[in-house]
C-alpha cells in the first residue's frame, strides 16, 4: 500500500479540527487524572472516567478507556490485566483515551505518580521527555516510522529504560481512521506526515515491575 493510501482522509477532514480534537482530549485526560486517587481500584477509575466522558460533550469514544495502575503499567494496549489493583500512596498509573470531537479523533496518554518514589517520579518525567526527543528528531531528520522507533529504542536505553516495542503508534483522522488500514507507525517505511499519526512511547523500569506511557499527535 502506498503512503498516500495509508494517509488517506475523508471529505470532512480538517487539520484544524484534528488539533481541536487533540486539545479537547488532553483536557479530558487531565480531568480524568483529577478523579484518580490512592485507594481506588483500577476498575473504579475506569468507571468514573467513562461517567465523566459521557457528560463532556464528545461525539463518542473511539477506543476503550484504558487506565493502568502499578505493575499493569507494563501491559500494552491489547493485553488484558489479570488483576484489579488498588492504587497505592507511592504508586504509578497511566491514562489512555481516544475520543471523537466534531468528527475527528483525539488520542492522548500520560503517566502520573502518586507519591515520592524516586524511580517512579523519574519514569513519569522521562517518558514525556523521551516522547519530546523522538518527536523533535522526526521534525528535524524527517525519518521513516521504522527509523523513528529505532531511535526511540536507543534513546530509552541511554536514559536507563526499556522501550516496549509492542506499542508502535498508529493513524488518526476524521472518524474512523480504521478504514484506511494504515498499519502501525513503527512499521512505516516512509516518513509520516504531520497531524495524521499518534506517536506512542511506553517504557519499563529495567528491574522493577512498573513502566510509563505517553502518546500525542505527531506534528
Amino acid at each position: 500500500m502506498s503512503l498516500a493510501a495509508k494517509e488517506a482522509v475523508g471529505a470532512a477532514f480538517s487539520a484544524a479540527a484534528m488539533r481541536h480534537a487533540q486539545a479537547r482530549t488532553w483536557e479530558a485526560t487531565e480531568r480524568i487524572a483529577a478523579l484518580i486517587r490512592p485507594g481506588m481500584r483500577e476498575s473504579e477509575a475506569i468507571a468514573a472516567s467513562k461517567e465523566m466522558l459521557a457528560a463532556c460533550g464528545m461525539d463518542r469514544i473511539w477506543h476503550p478507556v484504558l487506565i493502568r495502575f502499578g505493575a499493569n503499567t507494563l501491559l500494552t494496549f491489547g493485553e488484558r490485566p489479570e488483576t484489579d489493583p488498588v492504587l497505592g500512596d507511592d504508586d504509578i498509573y497511566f491514562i489512555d483515551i481516544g475520543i471523537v470531537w466534531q468528527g475527528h479523533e483525539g488520542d492522548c496518554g500520560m503517566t502520573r505518580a502518586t507519591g515520592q518514589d524516586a524511580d517512579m517520579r523519574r519514569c513519569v518525567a522521562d517518558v514525556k521527555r523521551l516522547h519530546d526527543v523522538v518527536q523533535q528528531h522526526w521534525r528535524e531528520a524527517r525519518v521513516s516510522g521504522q527509523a523513528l522507533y529505532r531511535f526511540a529504542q536507543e534513546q530509552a536505553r541511554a536514559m536507563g529504560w526499556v522501550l516496549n516495542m509492542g506499542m508502535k503508534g498508529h493513524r488518526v483522522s476524521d472518524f474512523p481512521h480504521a478504514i484506511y488500514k494504515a498499519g502501525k507507525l513503527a512499521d512505516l517505511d516512509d516518513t509520516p506526515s504531520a497531524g495524521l499519526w499518534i506517536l506512542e512511547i511506553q517504557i519499563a523500569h529495567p528491574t522493577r515491575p512498573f513502566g510509563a506511557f505517553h502518546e500525542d499527535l505527531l506534528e
Side-chain angles (χ1 to χ4, degrees):
M1 182 186 294
S2 69
L3 179 62
K6 292 176 180 178
E7 294 191 336
V9 296
F13 178 82
S14 159
M18 284 297 299
R19 289 190 291 272
H20 174 76
Q22 194 68 1
R24 293 297 302 275
T25 305
W26 272 115
E27 291 172 7
T29 306
E30 292 286 355
R31 289 177 64 186
I32 290 171
L35 297 173
I36 296 174
R37 60 189 183 277
M40 268 187 157
R41 288 200 173 274
E42 198 173 85
S43 59
E44 292 172 335
I46 292 171
S49 300
K50 289 179 177 178
E51 184 176 344
M52 186 278 291
L53 290 173
C56 75
M58 64 176 179
D59 297 357
R60 58 170 290 161
I61 291 173
W62 72 262
H63 81 58
V65 173
L66 193 72
I67 298 175
R68 307 285 206 207
F69 290 173
N72 283 352
T73 56
L74 296 172
L75 301 177
T76 64
F77 183 86
E79 293 176 311
R80 299 297 95 189
E82 296 181 357
T83 60
D84 186 17
V86 174
L87 189 67
D89 291 325
D90 251 340
D91 214 339
I92 193 167
Y93 69 91
F94 72 70
I95 302 163
D96 176 8
I97 61 171
I99 306 174
V100 179
W101 303 91
Q102 298 177 359
H104 289 66
E105 299 166 343
D107 194 12
C108 298
M110 70 175 186
T111 306
R112 293 278 173 87
T114 60
Q116 299 303 314
D117 184 290
D119 286 345
M120 289 181 179
R121 291 175 68 86
R122 184 170 68 89
C123 195
V124 170
D126 279 0
V127 74
K128 174 63 165 60
R129 182 162 65 95
L130 177 59
H131 188 282
D132 291 348
V133 167
V134 174
Q135 176 141 281
Q136 188 61 33
H137 181 65
W138 164 78
R139 289 171 180 156
E140 294 174 353
R142 309 302 295 179
V143 296
S144 70
Q146 293 176 357
L148 191 63
Y149 272 82
R150 287 195 297 270
F151 175 81
Q153 189 173 39
E154 293 166 359
Q155 293 298 307
R157 186 181 301 115
M159 294 165 69
W161 306 105
V162 178
L163 185 71
N164 187 338
M165 293 297 285
M167 295 297 279
K168 296 184 173 187
H170 57 82
R171 268 295 314 272
V172 282
S173 70
D174 50 328
F175 181 79
H177 77 270
I179 63 175
Y180 304 115
K181 303 185 186 302
K184 299 297 186 180
L185 177 58
D187 298 328
L188 188 68
D189 58 4
D190 295 293
T191 300
S193 298
L196 295 174
W197 297 86
I198 294 291
L199 174 63
E200 296 178 318
I201 297 292
Q202 186 176 25
I203 58 175
H205 191 281
T207 58
R208 297 180 64 190
F210 66 83
F213 177 69
H214 193 91
E215 66 173 347
D216 202 355
L217 191 65
L218 191 66
E219 61 176 352

